[in-house]
Amino acid sequence: MEKTLIIFKPDALEKHLVGTVLARFENTGFRIAACRMFRFTPELLKEHYAHIAHQPFYPPLEQFMSSAPVIAMALEGDNAVAKVREMLGPTDSRKAAKGTIRGDFGTDNRVNILHASDSPENGLVEVARFFRPEDVF
Ligand code: ADP
C-alpha cells in the first residue's frame, strides 16, 4: 500500500469543493490516513515548493497559497501517487480533460484545487513534512 500527500488549496475551500473532491478519492477506494487544516507560512510553503521557489510565478503563488487555510491529507491505496495524479489532471486546469479534478473544478495554472505528490519518494517526504508519525493512521 502506497501513501500520497494531497493538499486542498484555498480555492477548493472557497468553492466548497472539499467534500466533492474527497468523495472521488473515497469512491475510488482510497483510505484517509491523516488529515490536518492549517495556514501556510512563507517558510513552510518555500520548503514544500523548493523546486519552483525561484520561478517568476512564485510570489503570486505564495500569495494565493497563504491567502486562506488549506487541508492536507495522506491518502493510502494501491498505486496511490500515480492514480491520484491521473485523477487530478495536469497543472494547467485550462488544459486538463473534463472528468479530471482540475478539468472540472480548476481555474488556471495557479488556481487548481489540489496539490498531490508526484512520486512515491516525494509522497513519503511530503507526508512526513506535514504529519508527525503518530498522527498517520
Ligand atoms: P503540480 O501541482 O501539477 O505538481 P508544479 O509542482 O509544477 O505542479 O507546481 C506547483 C504549483 O505551482 C502548481 O500546482 C500551481 O499552483 C503553481 N504553478 C505551476 N506552474 C505555474 C505557472 N506557470 N504559472 C503560475 N503558477 C504555476
Side-chain angles (χ1 to χ4, degrees), residues 9 49 51-52 57 61 64-65 85 88-91 102 109-112 114-116 118:
K9 298 187 180 189
Y49 278 150
H51 64 293
I52 50 168
F57 61 77
L61 176 65
F64 164 58
M65 288 297 292
R85 291 288 295 199
L88 181 55
T91 307
R102 285 172 169 165
N109 59 358
R110 174 164 56 240
V111 180
N112 59 9
L114 197 81
H115 165 81
D118 63 1

Side-chain angles (χ1 to χ4, degrees), residues 67-134:
S67 64
V70 300
I71 295 174
M73 291 185 188
L75 296 183
E76 185 183 68
D78 276 335
N79 207 17
V81 169
K83 184 71 189 157
V84 167
R85 291 288 295 199
E86 184 188 318
M87 292 171 70
L88 181 55
T91 307
D92 191 343
S93 310
R94 296 165 297 198
K95 295 180 181 153
K98 287 292 161 204
T100 66
I101 291 162
R102 285 172 169 165
D104 289 347
F105 306 121
T107 304
D108 54 27
N109 59 358
R110 174 164 56 240
V111 180
N112 59 9
I113 303 289
L114 197 81
H115 165 81
S117 305
D118 63 1
S119 69
E121 298 73 29
N122 280 342
L124 292 174
V125 170
E126 293 184 350
V127 169
R129 176 173 299 135
F130 295 100
F131 296 100
R132 300 180 300 176
E134 61 267 39

Side-chain angles (χ1 to χ4, degrees), residues 23-39:
R24 290 192 182 194
F25 295 132
E26 291 200 295
N27 291 339
T28 306
F30 291 114
R31 185 182 74 79
I32 299 170
C35 180
R36 180 181 153 218
M37 186 170 188
F38 65 96
R39 193 161 179 162

